[in-house]
Amino acid sequence: MTEQVCLRDVVQDDLEVFLAQEHDPESVRRSNFPPREREAFMRHWTTKVLGDPSNRVQAVTVDGVLAGNLVAWWDEDRRFIGYWLGRQYWGRGIGTRALALFLEQETNRPLYADPFAENTGSVRLLEKHGFRSSGTVMYGEHEHIMLVLNEGS
């Protein structure tokens, strides 16, 4: 039986789950994203993520259970997306289904993503949805792949 993947608005209680997911050691390694302390995390989500009406922010649920999130935001004149799923939801097609649902809502194109180059699962997920490499970008000493989803992709 296929698991039901849905998107819904993020509620305040979701942030505790997102915080725990951000602190998962394997997630940190794969994303090359250092986890924030609780106060900094909550401040970021409350003010910059949920507090910016230009962002599209959705929780991912699997059979009604919170699994992660997807976010689209503006960085100057470019629209970016990012996502985070709890490790127990990896490798089950959940990211693929959730991103497809999100891309139906988020119609801005071009749309950018910049996963850590060694996060091959994330790169493959984005490419599966039509994102194509437009080069690399360095964040400190770490290489990230700049992917773009253009109109009609």
Side-chain angles (χ1 to χ4, degrees):
M1 179 180 246
T2 301
E3 298 163 305
Q4 184 178 13
V5 176
C6 297
L7 301 181
R8 65 161 171 75
D9 290 339
V10 170
V11 297
Q12 191 69 32
D13 287 347
D14 294 340
L15 300 185
E16 293 295 338
V17 173
F18 299 162
L19 175 64
Q21 290 173 342
E22 185 173 291
H23 281 259
D24 174 71
E26 183 62 14
S27 294
V28 170
R29 187 188 71 74
R30 287 188 186 202
S31 67
N32 191 43
F33 187 85
R36 292 169 280 223
E37 294 300 321
R38 185 179 193 288
E39 185 178 312
F41 177 90
M42 293 299 178
R43 184 173 50 254
H44 173 78
W45 265 88
T46 303
T47 60
K48 293 190 176 189
V49 180
L50 296 173
D52 184 340
S54 71
N55 293 342
R56 179 176 309 281
V57 185
Q58 293 286 279
V60 178
T61 64
V62 177
D63 294 334
V65 177
L66 183 61
N69 64 78
L70 289 128
V71 180
W73 69 93
W74 289 103
D75 184 358
E76 297 180 9
D77 62 340
R78 296 192 300 181
R79 187 80 164 167
F80 276 82
I81 66 161
Y83 43 85
W84 204 286
L85 289 176
R87 189 188 331 184
Q88 66 269 38
Y89 299 100
W90 298 353
R92 294 167 37 191
I94 291 163
T96 299
R97 287 179 275 161
L99 186 54
L101 292 170
F102 191 77
L103 292 173
E104 289 174 11
Q105 296 176 5
E106 179 56 53
T107 58
N108 284 291
R109 304 290 186 270
L111 192 57
Y112 296 86
D114 57 353
F116 181 44
E118 294 179 25
N119 190 346
T120 56
S122 189
V123 173
R124 279 195 313 266
L125 171 64
L126 291 158
E127 289 175 340
K128 189 182 295 186
H129 288 284
F131 283 79
R132 297 294 171 247
S133 176
S134 65
T136 60
V137 61
M138 298 298 290
Y139 295 117
E141 59 191 43
H142 302 284
E143 183 179 46
H144 289 244
I145 305 208
M146 186 62 68
L147 297 161
V148 61
L149 179 65
N150 287 305
E151 198 69 45
S153 294

